[in-house]
Structures are given as C-alpha cells and as structure tokens.
Amino acid sequence: SVKGDGKLQVDSTPSGAEVMLWEFEEAGDGVSTPVKPLSLGVTPVATINLRKGNYLLTFQRPGHSEVRYPVRIDHSESERVDVFLPDVFPAGTVYVPAGPAYVGGVQARYYRLHETRVPGFFIGRQEVTFAEYIEFWREQAGRGQGATDMSRVRLSLDDRVFRDAWDDDGKLMGLLRPDMPVVGITYASAFRYCTWLGSRLGVACRLPTAVEWEKAARGVDGRRYVWGDRFSATFAFTVENVAARQEFGLFAPPMSLPFDRSVYGAWDMAGNVREWTSTRFDDGSPFFKIKGGSASTPRNFLQCSAESEFPAAPSDVGFRYVFPLEVSSGSR
C-alpha cells in the first residue's frame, strides 16, 4: 500500500470496473504526466492511504471507453469517490465526470482560486471546424438564414472590414481551410449550431459554461495551464509560437500540438482559437466569457483561469459543444 497522510475510497456506478491509480509528476519540461500506475483492483475499492498530491484514477469496463478521474488529496483529507460510468460517449466527445475542481485564479477577473463542485458532462474533443460548421450553414442558407450565420473575419490587422469567410458555394476564402477551427461567428450562431447538432442527434447540446470549460481544460488540481504549472511558448499555438505559424499558417487543424491536451483528452483548450462559453461576466455586462488563448493572442490568455470578451485579429473565436449527462441514464 502507499503510505501517506490522506485517505481515498473509490467506487463506481455501475461497480465492477478495473481501477488504476496514477501519480501526476511534473517533468523537467513542465508537463504534468501520470506515472507509476498501481492496480487497485475492481470497484468498490477498500480505503487506501495516500500522501498529499495529485493523482489520476482510470476506470475500465470491458467493451466501454476508459473513464479518467483526476483527484487531488490534500493534507489529512479523506476523499470518497463514486464515479458514474456512462455506457457510451457521444461521438467526438470526452467525458468529464462529476466532482470537485479548483477554478479561478490569477488571470480570472473576479475569482481567486477556489474549489467548486461541477456536475458531469461530455465536451467536444476538439473545436468545431469550418467543414462541420459550413454543413450547418448550408441548411440555414436553405432557410434564408445564411447571412445571419455567416462567419465574418478580419484575417490581418490591416483589414479594415470584416469579410465573409466563404462564398455562396461554401468555398473558403484566402488562407482558410476546411480542417481549421471555425472562427468569426457570433455567440448566437454558435448557440444555434449546438441546437441544430442536438436536434440531428436527438440529444441536448449546448455551449459549455465557463466553469465546465475550465474544468475540462485544467482537471481538478488548479494547475495553471492545460499541461501543468509552467509556461512554454511551444506547447500551444499562440502568437509567440513562431514554428507553429510557419507550419500551419493562421490556425492549426485540431489536435496538431501534442501538449495542448487536457487530462480528459480534450485538445487545443490552451491555444489555436479562443472559445465561446454560455457564461456572462458578473458585472452586469452583456458580454459572454471567451476562454482560452489563440494563435492571435499573447501568453497571458493561456492560463486556464483567463477570460476575455472581444475577438482579436486575425479573427480568433470559435467554440466546442457540451452534451449534459442525462438524469434518465441514472447519472448524477
């Protein structure tokens, strides 16, 4: 057993899942990596002693996707974990189980780092691409709503006007490519895309709240960046990542930068493009919080707690979607 000063009790719903315990270790490059896997057997697991620190539990049932549950053990704390294991993950999503998380911090406008409980949800593994969005736009255009949901972009600081990102046939202009994340769309258009996707799939679909977005990006341990606590200009596509700009141009196809991947497996939450959330700022402002950094922003946008309200140039705000866990599936 692992000696220490905290206690951990692990169960799952349904029980009978294989559980592994991993320890997070921050390597020399600043990347926090799960190491030293230890089998805890099958849920329910008897209480184990653990020293203070950050850990990852992985749950595996035959024929099902692995569920990842990061956990932070504080000094002399007893942590009881009961993780809901969904039968299926919606295509293209990762699962963020219910539980506590540390959110807020230095770059947040109103919140110091604090612990909050967040219900479980599924979130897009990557940002919605131009190709995916244009499929929605074609349907809207067929209803005469094409102009409303068109992406309008400024692709350089010299551009004085916003231009349509594609023509009537859906052909992208300039340096934009179908596999890049969509940018230049309003909050309302992102909202309508989620509604459209949900109705096609027959499930509830919406934009993430700022807290859901932040938990999906940083896990539960309050880390500063998606990958750990130390900044590196090469880990995410920001304005400082010259090599990424040379390789990819304006933005990168999703999942291009290996370190920009959260503990749950969501990609590009640090850089590439910023993302809409459904949470407004608390000061009565009409603006919705935009989370993350982009290829157009400097490093202070990279911290998971950072939030902003205006797009940059080149236009840099896109989105990913959330499927809430339905109560009918026995989740909580």
Side-chain angles (χ1 to χ4, degrees):
S1 85
V2 187
K3 295 274 179 256
D5 51 16
K7 285 185 164 42
L8 177 66
Q9 200 180 344
V10 183
D11 202 353
S12 65
T13 306
S15 57
E18 288 274 345
V19 193
M20 302 288 287
L21 175 78
W22 309 70
E23 220 172 299
F24 276 111
E25 196 170 83
E26 195 158 289
D29 57 6
V31 178
S32 187
T33 312
V35 295
K36 302 181 190 154
L38 174 72
S39 172
L40 301 184
V42 173
T43 55
V45 173
T47 305
I48 56 169
N49 293 318
L50 276 184
R51 63 179 178 273
K52 179 180 164 180
N54 298 313
Y55 299 88
L56 176 66
L57 294 165
T58 55
F59 295 80
Q60 188 69 64
R61 288 186 294 156
H64 292 79
S65 299
E66 177 188 84
V67 167
R68 299 165 70 86
Y69 187 94
V71 61
R72 169 171 163 149
I73 301 291
D74 290 320
H75 193 76
S76 301
E77 179 185 43
S78 285
E79 186 79 39
R80 187 175 179 285
V81 167
D82 186 351
V83 181
F84 174 72
L85 306 178
D87 284 329
V88 286
F89 293 14
T93 67
V94 299
Y95 175 45
V96 181
Y102 281 92
V103 298
V106 188
Q107 292 291 341
R109 211 170 288 188
Y110 301 104
Y111 298 110
R112 58 184 176 73
L113 191 67
H114 64 285
E115 195 174 31
T116 187
R117 194 176 164 77
V118 188
F121 59 95
F122 300 97
I123 191 167
R125 179 177 287 116
Q126 58 183 62
E127 295 143 344
V128 173
T129 61
F130 274 109
E132 290 169 317
Y133 184 86
I134 287 173
E135 196 184 337
F136 154 75
W137 173 82
R138 284 184 201 282
E139 278 197 31
Q140 296 297 89
R143 294 197 192 103
Q145 297 294 311
T148 315
D149 290 317
M150 170 57 74
S151 154
R152 307 204 23 97
V153 292
R154 279 173 64 203
L155 294 185
S156 80
L157 293 168
D158 307 330
D159 279 352
R160 287 285 165 261
V161 295
F162 286 86
R163 301 170 198 281
D164 288 357
W166 54 83
D167 64 17
D168 289 346
D169 298 323
K171 185 175 183 309
L172 285 156
M173 70 171 221
L175 301 167
L176 299 174
R177 297 192 309 272
D179 63 353
M180 286 177 173
V182 65
V183 292
I185 56 161
T186 61
Y187 171 87
S189 289
F191 180 93
R192 279 191 288 275
Y193 177 94
C194 293
T195 308
W196 169 82
L197 181 66
S199 66
R200 283 184 86 182
L201 300 175
V203 291
C205 180
R206 56 172 172 77
L207 289 167
T209 65
V211 167
E212 285 171 337
W213 190 99
E214 194 171 321
K215 181 172 180 178
R218 81 197 293 197
V220 305
D221 55 20
R223 61 182 58 190
R224 208 167 274 185
Y225 303 102
V226 164
W227 52 82
D229 279 324
R230 291 191 3 230
F231 171 76
S232 170
T234 60
F235 286 173
F237 193 174
T238 67
V239 84
E240 294 177 56
N241 193 338
V242 180
R245 167 82 65 235
Q246 286 169 344
E247 184 175 351
F248 301 114
L250 280 174
F251 303 106
M255 309 197 284
S256 295
L257 280 82
F259 293 118
D260 193 350
R261 182 169 181 257
S262 84
V263 61
Y264 302 104
W267 291 78
D268 305 311
M269 296 192 84
N272 210 18
V273 309
R274 288 187 288 154
E275 301 179 25
W276 286 114
T277 73
S278 62
T279 306
R280 290 183 197 266
F281 283 96
D282 292 14
D283 53 8
S285 126
F287 298 109
F288 290 93
K289 293 181 180 182
I290 299 171
K291 295 289 285 179
S294 78
S296 304
T297 60
R299 68 175 69 185
N300 54 314
F301 287 80
L302 271 188
Q303 293 201 23
C304 298
S305 61
E307 46 200 29
S308 47
E309 57 203 330
F310 300 115
S315 299
D316 71 332
V317 180
F319 68 103
R320 71 183 74 214
Y321 45 77
V322 154
F323 298 116
L325 263 179
E326 294 308 326
V327 176
S328 59
S329 65
S331 66
R332 55 185 183 281

